[in-house]
Amino acid sequence: VTRVSLPAPDAFAALPATRRRIVAAAVDAFARRGFHATTTRDVALGAGLSPAGLYVHYASKTALLAEVSRIGHEAALGLVAAELGPQAPPGPAAERLRRTVETFTSWHARHHLVARVVQYELTALDPDDRADVVRLRREIEALVEAEVRRGVTDPHTTTRAVLSLCIDVARWYDPAGREAPDDVGRLYGTLVLRMLGASHQEDP
Amino acid sequence: VTRVSLPAPDAFAALPATRRRIVAAAVDAFARRGFHATTTRDVALGAGLSPAGLYVHYASKTALLAEVSRIGHEAALGLVAAELGPQAPPGPAAERLRRTVETFTSWHARHHLVARVVQYELTALDPDDRADVVRLRREIEALVEAEVRRGVTDPHTTTRAVLSLCIDVARWYDPAGREAPDDVGRLYGTLVLRMLGASHQEDP
């Protein structure tokens, strides 16, 4: 994993100011109304621009979705690679996996609007952009599956269950609720270690 | 739980033929393009009707969404109540919970289009309809939480994690993939029992 990948909102912070405003307006509109029901005019207004002003930066609504999806997936991969990739700090395997689930879960709570767009609008991407995103998703799955594989009979579907549990936080998470993103992350870290059974039990 | 609730597609089969065709066309359109981007004209065409012909049965696109959401939630509650409600057959608690997770999961795989509409378009419902659906969701959660509560330190969030795992199957499930809905259900039954730890271990 050689890509530079920072967690959002840092990843968005790396964009030039106007693009950052456009992307934020797009995330908000896509998450609330869905990609198909949003017009470029909606996004331009949300960013305080004219439609022509938006086209200077993004050639189409689909190009804008591709940018959100790319940044969101790179941020998610960055989190997972930091714990499970070649540069990850050494330590007990169960702790590595626990930290991965914690950060991946709390990211989906904290950035639930970005995550909803990224997860629910995959089919609206152009084929090339979708292929890029599928590659990023496979990298995430491969890193987690390499950890899960030890001692589990169905590592592929079990890996998908682990990631699915974390990702679905973006659907139900309510920032007005009583749980902070890190609270959900901590509980899920424990639940996943138990779910994986004896070979991944918490270190004694 | 006194509501008569049949699992879809049986629940939809109980509708008169024309309504059933309309609801099927609505599920397809809402799941593929999102509720906001779908017009009543799209749904009417999908059902082989004129827009005026559709209005005879449903006064608005929102009324149609309410019908899909009500039937979907009643079907889901019906599945859970059959295993965990007052009429549930007697037997070991762990087996009851396992069967609940199995059927709830495989339902979300088998009826993933209905489930996506039901889960992703809640905010588009009218307030009264949303209140009805929230009540159905609370009944599902309460039945599961009563099972999960034994021996778990954070039963509310743990219950949501269990349901979330099952529900998110609707997002990723691909009927062209290699797993049948019941395969996913069986694996998830085992994963959830492990996740809940010692007090819910599989019966010896």
Side-chain angles (χ1 to χ4, degrees):
Chain A
V1 183
T2 53
R3 254 180 225 86
V4 175
S5 336
L6 297 162
D10 295 342
F12 293 113
L15 293 172
T18 308
R19 284 196 171 220
R20 194 162 68 232
R21 239 166 52 226
I22 295 170
V23 165
V27 166
D28 188 71
F30 295 165
R32 279 177 215 289
R33 321 190 60 223
F35 174 76
H36 289 293
T38 300
T39 63
T40 46
R41 196 185 146 75
D42 296 332
V43 176
L45 284 176
L49 294 170
S50 68
L54 186 146
Y55 284 119
V56 173
H57 299 280
Y58 293 99
S60 66
K61 192 174 71 158
T62 310
L64 195 43
L65 177 64
E67 178 97 322
V68 172
S69 195
R70 183 188 59 77
I71 295 177
H73 277 94
E74 284 185 357
L77 173 58
L79 292 174
V80 172
E83 302 295 348
L84 299 180
Q87 314 296 325
E95 270 317 300
R96 261 197 327 257
L97 188 58
R98 175 197 289 279
R99 275 199 312 269
T100 306
V101 170
E102 284 180 359
T103 55
F104 199 64
T105 297
S106 61
W107 188 86
H108 280 84
R110 198 168 281 117
H111 305 295
H112 56 278
L113 291 186
V114 172
R116 280 179 207 165
V117 172
V118 155
Q119 296 297 337
Y120 299 167
E121 305 293 3
L122 281 178
T123 56
L125 290 170
D126 280 341
D128 282 359
D129 293 324
R130 204 193 313 186
D132 287 343
V133 160
V134 165
R135 260 191 300 278
L136 292 166
R137 294 173 78 88
R138 292 226 175 101
E139 287 189 58
I140 293 173
E141 284 168 18
L143 285 167
V144 176
E145 189 168 333
E147 273 309 303
V148 165
R149 185 169 291 283
R150 299 175 305 114
V152 161
T153 49
D154 190 341
H156 185 71
T157 310
T158 304
T159 298
R160 214 166 33 195
V162 170
L163 293 173
S164 170
L165 187 65
C166 308
I167 287 169
D168 195 51
V169 171
R171 178 181 57 80
W172 61 258
Y173 187 74
D174 176 4
R178 61 184 176 176
E179 292 145 322
D182 290 341
D183 296 338
V184 185
R186 260 189 303 274
L187 176 65
Y188 275 37
T190 300
L191 294 180
V192 165
L193 282 199
R194 280 212 223 110
M195 194 166 99
L196 296 181
S199 66
H200 290 79
Q201 284 309 330
E202 310 174 38
D203 298 304
Chain B
V1 183
T2 52
R3 254 180 225 86
V4 175
S5 337
L6 298 162
D10 294 342
F12 293 113
L15 293 172
T18 307
R19 285 197 170 219
R20 193 163 70 231
R21 238 165 52 226
I22 295 171
V23 165
V27 165
D28 188 72
F30 295 165
R32 280 177 215 288
R33 321 190 60 223
F35 174 75
H36 289 292
T38 300
T39 64
T40 44
R41 196 186 146 74
D42 295 333
V43 178
L45 285 176
L49 293 171
S50 67
L54 187 145
Y55 285 119
V56 173
H57 299 280
Y58 293 99
S60 67
K61 192 174 70 158
T62 310
L64 195 42
L65 176 64
E67 177 97 322
V68 172
S69 196
R70 182 187 60 76
I71 295 177
H73 277 94
E74 285 185 356
L77 173 58
L79 292 174
V80 172
E83 302 295 348
L84 300 179
Q87 313 299 324
E95 270 317 299
R96 259 195 330 254
L97 188 58
R98 176 198 289 278
R99 275 199 312 268
T100 306
V101 169
E102 284 180 358
T103 56
F104 199 64
T105 298
S106 61
W107 188 85
H108 280 84
R110 198 168 281 118
H111 305 294
H112 55 278
L113 292 185
V114 172
R116 280 180 207 165
V117 172
V118 155
Q119 297 297 336
Y120 298 166
E121 306 292 3
L122 281 179
T123 55
L125 289 171
D126 280 341
D128 282 358
D129 293 324
R130 203 191 314 185
D132 287 343
V133 161
V134 165
R135 259 191 301 277
L136 292 167
R137 294 173 78 88
R138 292 226 174 101
E139 287 189 58
I140 293 173
E141 284 168 19
L143 285 167
V144 176
E145 189 168 334
E147 272 311 302
V148 165
R149 184 169 291 283
R150 300 175 304 116
V152 161
T153 50
D154 190 342
H156 185 71
T157 311
T158 304
T159 298
R160 213 164 35 195
V162 170
L163 292 173
S164 170
L165 187 65
C166 308
I167 288 169
D168 196 50
V169 171
R171 179 182 55 80
W172 61 257
Y173 188 74
D174 176 3
R178 60 183 176 176
E179 293 144 321
D182 290 340
D183 295 337
V184 184
R186 260 189 304 274
L187 176 65
Y188 275 37
T190 300
L191 293 180
V192 165
L193 282 198
R194 281 212 222 109
M195 194 166 99
L196 297 180
S199 67
H200 290 78
Q201 283 311 331
E202 310 173 39
D203 299 303

